[in-house]
Amino acid sequence: MADYKNVSKLNSIDLSSPHIPTSVSLLKQACTDSGFFYVTNHGISEEFMDEVFAESKKFFDLPLEEKMKLLRNEKHRGYTPVLDELLDPANQLHGDHKEGFYIGIELPEDDPEAQRTFYGPNLWPDSDILPGWRQTMEKYHQQALEVVKKIARLIALSLDLDADFFEQPEMLGKPIAVLRLLHYGGQVSDPLKGIYGAGAHSDYGLITLLATDSVSGLQICKDKDAEPRVWESVEPLKGAFVVNLGDMLERWSNCIFRSTLHRVLGNGQERYSIPYFVEPSHDCVVECLPTCHSKQNPPKFPPIKCETYLLQRYQDTHADLSTYNKH
């Protein structure tokens, strides 16, 4: 059921608010309801966000032959063409009607961690073609991580943990963080014909921070088992990020917090969005949090290392890494 008029009423959390209990209460309600919420006053200026979107558009405006020179490498960095990704094979006729560009954490070659599965060298457009582009994206990558850490403190408090729980070295002290630039070219989606901007999926990891332009398209389904599924639109909110929880946090919280199906439907307008996917370190052991189980509610999942979990999730959905966190 695709109802563009059915708009989801998401909680909005002011990250600058001194009233922490209120923020924690709003966040906890959102995380148990849908795992989606807005954050405002997050510390990244509107001017800089405008610059990031402008630079993203410059890249996607390049001729296809230029973009294909940066085709996604074995470390899952770089350009992904239109129809390259298929998120919901059961319902999609073709791949997603979007193109993207992946930017991850890049360590010096002599760093012993540099060869880990989800670290690696990024691909960058030639500075003669897009001067300053790399610097803008690297700056945004760093600033977005600081926003995620602020959100993680509220999440920790809402789970009755110490505020800095997720800031431990084995968690967000050495995170896996991937910035994704996305461009939807104006294709009109038609769910009845299996045509989507991005097929229905839930994110794999911990937290996703999503910046969007002013064009609608994102939808969530709070009950994936409903027949038919009921979809609600998540409208852009000026100056705010949309935040959603991933399956890893649902698992970590023993299903107290929720990771929700979402998709993108194109309405004929071009749309740009920038999701930022964050997980803990490769070696972090994801096991039921101490505050999320009891005799009446024992742990539902065995402990698993983050790196192993992510690799299993990719292999469960497709035969390779091509399904890593889409929007």
Side-chain angles (χ1 to χ4, degrees):
M1 183 184 302
D3 184 355
Y4 293 95
K5 296 178 182 176
N6 189 17
V7 176
S8 190
K9 301 289 192 289
L10 299 184
N11 286 353
S12 183
I13 294 143
D14 182 347
L15 292 184
S16 70
S17 171
H19 304 293
I20 301 300
T22 300
S23 298
V24 170
S25 176
L26 284 169
L27 182 138
K28 187 167 187 173
Q29 182 187 41
C31 291
T32 53
D33 175 49
S34 68
F36 271 78
F37 51 94
Y38 299 107
V39 294
T40 60
N41 294 317
H42 39 70
I44 301 182
S45 73
E46 222 166 279
E47 292 76 18
F48 183 55
M49 288 306 309
D50 289 344
E51 180 186 337
V52 174
F53 273 98
E55 293 297 320
S56 173
K57 184 177 187 301
K58 285 180 187 176
F59 173 78
F60 291 118
D61 282 347
L62 292 174
L64 182 59
E65 62 189 50
E66 284 295 328
K67 292 183 284 190
M68 291 298 285
K69 291 176 183 176
L70 298 168
L71 194 63
R72 183 183 53 198
N73 64 15
E74 71 284 350
K75 279 291 193 175
H76 211 62
R77 311 297 173 88
Y79 177 64
T80 54
V82 177
L83 305 182
D84 185 62
E85 297 165 342
L86 187 68
L87 288 172
D88 186 12
N91 294 300
Q92 283 182 261
L93 180 64
H94 303 295
D96 293 351
H97 282 276
K98 69 180 192 306
E99 55 182 341
F101 194 89
Y102 284 102
I103 302 168
I105 287 181
E106 191 169 55
L107 299 177
E109 284 186 19
D110 59 354
D111 190 308
E113 296 277 300
Q115 302 307 314
R116 298 300 295 266
T117 309
F118 299 105
Y119 292 159
N122 288 313
L123 300 178
W124 299 107
D126 191 302
S127 59
D128 291 338
I129 297 173
L130 293 177
W133 197 89
R134 172 177 180 169
Q135 290 74 15
T136 298
M137 296 307 164
E138 288 182 330
K139 179 181 175 183
Y140 179 67
H141 198 292
Q142 293 167 355
Q143 291 195 9
L145 183 60
E146 293 309 307
V147 177
V148 168
K149 288 179 178 178
K150 292 177 187 177
I151 297 164
R153 293 180 69 83
L154 294 177
I155 288 175
L157 290 170
S158 70
L159 290 168
D160 298 317
L161 300 164
D162 292 338
D164 60 358
F165 178 83
F166 291 107
E167 293 174 28
Q168 298 175 64
E170 67 271 21
M171 295 184 193
L172 297 185
K174 286 187 174 180
I176 298 168
V178 177
L179 175 62
R180 187 93 199 276
L181 309 175
L182 293 176
H183 171 231
Y184 299 83
Q187 172 81 29
V188 177
S189 296
D190 186 343
L192 295 178
K193 294 181 179 177
I195 299 171
Y196 295 88
H201 65 288
S202 58
D203 292 346
Y204 295 160
L206 184 64
I207 301 172
T208 303
L209 185 73
L210 177 68
T212 70
D213 61 12
S214 60
V215 179
S216 302
L218 177 63
Q219 297 187 326
I220 63 174
C221 173
K222 293 181 181 177
D223 183 0
K224 64 183 177 183
D225 298 319
E227 288 292 343
R229 287 176 175 169
V230 177
W231 292 92
E232 302 175 14
S233 293
V234 175
E235 291 301 299
L237 183 63
K238 183 70 172 171
F241 287 113
V242 177
V243 179
N244 68 277
L245 310 183
D247 299 340
M248 183 185 290
L249 187 53
E250 182 176 274
R251 178 186 181 119
W252 225 341
S253 69
N254 213 24
C255 298
I256 291 172
F257 282 0
R258 298 189 55 199
S259 174
T260 292
L261 278 181
H262 49 287
R263 68 184 187 185
V264 174
L265 295 189
N267 61 9
Q269 293 177 276
E270 277 191 283
R271 178 177 180 267
Y272 294 86
S273 71
I274 306 175
Y276 183 72
F277 306 101
V278 179
E279 355 284 4
S281 76
H282 288 77
D283 295 322
C284 177
V285 176
V286 179
E287 58 184 326
C288 184
L289 295 166
T291 56
C292 295
H293 65 87
S294 62
K295 286 184 178 179
Q296 294 74 32
N297 184 30
K300 297 176 173 62
F301 308 96
I304 189 170
K305 196 166 77 166
C306 176
E307 182 177 23
T308 306
Y309 165 81
L310 292 173
L311 285 169
Q312 283 184 2
R313 287 300 309 272
Y314 308 154
Q315 291 160 2
D316 284 346
T317 48
H318 286 253
D320 57 23
L321 297 189
S322 65
T323 57
Y324 179 47
N325 278 341
K326 315 296 190 309
H327 256 236

